[in-house]
Amino acid sequence: MTSKVAIHRLSTGVPGLDEILGGGLPEFSFNLIAGPPGCGKTTLAHQIMFSLAGPQRRALYFTVLGEPPLKMLRYQQQFDFFDTDAIDQTIRFVNLSEDTLGGDLDLVLKRIVEEVESFNPTLVFVDSFRSIVLSGTSNDNPRNTLQQFVQQLGMAMTSWQATTFLIGEYFAETDANPVFTVSDGLIWLRQSVIRNSMVRKMEIMKMRGQPTLPGLHTFRISRAGIEVFAPVTVASSQHPPSKTLDASPIKRLTMGVPRLDEMLGGGLPQGYSLLVAGPSGSGKSVLAAAFLVEGARLGEAGVIAAFEQRPTHARSPAIAALIESGQVGLVDSWAPDLSLDETTRLLLSEIHRLNATRVVIDSLSGFELALAPTFREDFRENLSRMVMALAASGVTVLMTSELEDRYTDLRFSPYGTAFMTDAIIVQRYIEVDSRLLRVIAVVKVRASAHSNELRLFSIDDAGLQIGDRVAGQEGLLGGRPTRKASPARGHDEGDDRSPAS
């Protein structure tokens, strides 16, 4: 019995791309990078080329342009991956524009073969391949001409043992095109404009011999080049959350707010996700800041994702000082067209950089507004995936959520997200003697006893101060007096809405 042939995979050097490819790019494969104009095809090809090219792996880049390659290179030099020293050393550019003017694909193929045999590259790029095809299309028999050219080019590339990339402007993957069939890999780039948002996505439609990550994956083009944001899978985490069932007692984190740990049943269990919900000005961000400050006091690094206001010395002096000292990492990307996967990657990057154990997302309402419109439609589903990924990394997550205080019922989240969190704290206002007072309650702590009391609280220079239990006529919710709170504890799972008591 013959042994299996092992296929060597090349690392593309594009962040996130190897992951969705299924481990890298198969060596000696015949690939097509396709998509509409302006979606990043040439940038992707150049980034892969400059990453892979070297003394032992030379690259040949064919251009089919009405202008010299120097103009294209002038723009590509703006990217960080561009290496001027590699030009004409390990990377050579060849312009095929004159060869394609006659429309004879046999002559074009002959020129490609001559250049390849002369330079002996292991990486070959043809940009734009579709321009070659259009120049050689015959009105008499266009399909056979193209079919023959593609087959001959594919056979030649295989005999050279070169990894090949054809870059082409294609608008629909359903087009009957022989190059789609012959190619070993098909990377499709897309872009769409919704309102004022530009969203770019990548799909690996085909990659022979390896399991790719299915679906559309968002990517961004920056000064560094292209970065692909593959979805974070919970299974990839090496740090399971502490709330998994075992015989050891659950470690609890202190919140940094006097009396709140007692209400939570001894603190917030490590690895839990906590939702702090309440109307504007109720103190959600103050509580979140106290959570991070308490962690820093105990030597625990934290990360805050700020989607409403950046923490400054004027707004949050304690958090601003921790960010400056490096004890708290800040994710406040105001780049347009954010996606859930991109945000999750930014958070995990900061978590791993600082070895952080506490994470704050302030707030979910601002986070939703920061997303591109196309991602808001599946906000609940994607948010659930992000919470699971963060929890799987072992961190304890506190999220704030802006709520409209309706007075007639208790709402915990406008997104129906209460089920995906392990604990819920609700803050709200009550009116007593023509004054607005703040109250706080622990609605849910999964698998743990906790207080069911409504307590008054205030905010001063020292932070959030929890006071006495609301009782009798002081607790007017929805125009009705509350029942006197009982000191009993229970296991409340919570819901996104429950009637006022």
Side-chain angles (χ1 to χ4, degrees):
M1 180 177 178
T2 58
S3 59
K4 293 183 179 180
V5 175
I7 297 179
H8 178 62
R9 292 181 174 86
L10 305 175
S11 178
T12 62
V14 179
L17 181 55
D18 291 348
E19 186 175 349
I20 68 173
L21 283 172
L25 194 71
E27 192 173 25
F28 310 138
S29 57
F30 190 69
N31 306 284
L32 176 64
I33 300 176
C39 63
K41 301 183 298 298
T42 298
T43 300
L44 178 63
H46 279 199
Q47 191 169 350
I48 294 174
M49 178 177 65
F50 278 98
S51 174
L52 290 175
Q56 304 303 320
R57 189 184 289 127
R58 301 201 291 179
L60 188 59
Y61 199 102
F62 292 100
T63 63
V64 187
L65 304 169
E67 56 204 15
L70 289 177
K71 184 175 181 179
M72 177 186 63
L73 295 179
R74 184 182 305 132
Y75 292 106
Q76 292 296 312
Q77 286 177 9
Q78 310 308 311
F79 291 106
D80 294 341
F81 60 75
F82 193 92
D83 183 7
T84 305
D85 295 335
I87 305 299
D88 292 332
Q89 298 297 322
T90 58
I91 296 175
R92 177 181 294 178
F93 286 86
V94 177
N95 192 352
L96 296 177
S97 58
E98 293 185 3
D99 300 88
T100 58
L101 290 178
D104 190 337
L105 291 182
D106 290 335
L107 293 180
V108 175
L109 180 62
K110 181 180 178 181
R111 174 71 189 282
I112 292 176
V113 171
E114 290 175 352
E115 293 291 343
V116 170
E117 292 178 346
S118 172
F119 192 62
N120 193 28
T122 54
L123 299 168
V124 178
F125 299 79
V126 182
D127 184 8
S128 151
F129 175 73
R130 188 167 184 266
S131 298
I132 295 179
V133 171
L134 292 177
S135 68
T137 299
S138 168
N139 293 327
D140 298 329
N141 199 358
R143 188 58 57 192
N144 285 342
T145 303
L146 174 58
Q147 181 81 31
Q148 181 181 3
F149 176 77
V150 171
Q151 289 180 345
Q152 290 178 345
L153 180 61
M155 292 176 59
M157 297 299 176
T158 302
S159 65
W160 296 325
Q161 289 196 328
T163 306
T164 309
F165 300 84
L166 309 182
I167 298 94
E169 293 181 354
Y170 296 95
F171 297 88
E173 58 272 29
T174 56
D175 290 345
N177 196 310
V179 73
F180 295 169
T181 304
V182 175
S183 63
D184 302 310
L186 178 52
I187 303 175
W188 205 282
L189 277 59
R190 312 165 189 264
Q191 60 183 8
S192 59
V193 178
I194 302 178
R195 298 177 185 173
N196 291 326
S197 298
M198 166 70 78
V199 178
R200 291 185 170 97
K201 296 183 180 182
M202 180 183 299
E203 181 180 9
I204 309 301
M205 299 189 64
K206 176 182 180 182
M207 191 59 63
R208 287 190 174 122
Q210 60 192 52
T212 59
L213 200 60
L216 297 174
H217 310 286
T218 58
F219 69 94
R220 186 178 294 279
I221 302 177
S222 66
R223 185 69 177 268
I226 286 178
E227 181 176 3
V228 184
F229 303 105
V232 179
T233 57
V234 176
S236 64
S237 172
Q238 299 180 355
H239 308 284
S242 61
K243 57 177 177 283
T244 52
L245 297 177
D246 55 34
S248 60
I250 298 177
K251 179 182 178 181
R252 293 179 180 265
L253 304 182
T254 53
M255 298 294 296
V257 177
R259 306 183 76 172
L260 183 56
D261 293 335
E262 178 185 348
M263 295 177 67
L264 287 165
L268 181 64
Q270 185 179 28
Y272 270 35
S273 56
L274 167 65
L275 177 65
V276 180
S280 177
S282 60
K284 303 181 297 297
S285 297
V286 176
L287 195 158
F291 178 67
L292 291 177
V293 170
E294 176 69 3
R297 185 184 70 82
L298 298 173
E300 301 174 13
V303 174
I304 180 170
F307 295 103
E308 291 188 353
Q309 293 181 335
R310 180 187 176 97
T312 63
H313 285 284
R315 297 190 182 103
S316 182
I319 296 299
L322 291 175
I323 292 173
E324 291 179 0
S325 67
Q327 293 175 277
V328 169
L330 175 63
V331 174
D332 67 339
S333 176
W334 291 97
D337 318 322
L338 276 175
S339 70
L340 266 296
D341 293 327
E342 179 178 359
T343 305
T344 304
R345 290 287 178 178
L346 290 172
L347 282 168
L348 290 176
S349 177
E350 281 295 287
I351 290 169
H352 295 152
R353 183 179 71 85
L354 296 173
N355 195 23
T357 58
R358 300 186 181 211
V359 174
V360 165
I361 300 175
D362 187 22
S363 69
L364 295 182
S365 309
F367 181 25
E368 184 187 24
L369 291 177
L371 295 173
T374 184
F375 300 113
R376 297 176 195 168
E377 299 174 0
D378 302 321
F379 182 72
R380 183 185 182 202
E381 176 185 347
N382 291 324
L383 180 62
S384 176
R385 190 171 72 241
M386 183 181 76
V387 171
M388 292 176 64
L390 292 175
S393 70
V395 299
T396 305
V397 184
L398 186 154
M399 301 176 290
T400 67
S401 177
E402 183 81 13
L403 291 180
E404 176 186 356
D405 201 334
R406 300 190 178 188
Y407 296 97
T408 57
D409 58 13
L410 289 174
R411 291 177 60 83
F412 307 138
S413 170
Y415 312 106
T417 54
F419 77 94
M420 71 178 68
T421 59
D422 303 303
I424 298 175
I425 293 176
V426 65
Q427 299 172 337
R428 64 177 311 174
Y429 296 110
I430 61 173
E431 181 182 351
V432 179
D433 297 332
S434 299
R435 292 186 302 157
L436 279 180
L437 302 180
R438 296 181 176 95
V439 295
I440 188 171
V442 176
V443 177
K444 166 185 173 181
V445 180
R446 199 185 302 276
S448 174
H450 60 84
S451 170
N452 62 1
E453 298 173 338
L454 279 170
R455 286 188 172 272
L456 294 168
F457 74 94
S458 60
I459 301 173
D460 56 25
D461 292 341
L464 195 148
Q465 308 296 332
I466 298 179
D468 296 332
R469 183 180 61 186
V470 177
Q473 296 297 319
E474 290 182 346
L476 297 177
L477 300 178
R480 294 175 295 160
T482 62
R483 301 187 187 95
K484 189 172 182 178
S486 169
R489 297 173 178 269
H491 293 75
D492 293 343
E493 282 300 313
D495 197 352
D496 280 68
R497 181 187 296 185
S498 66
S501 55

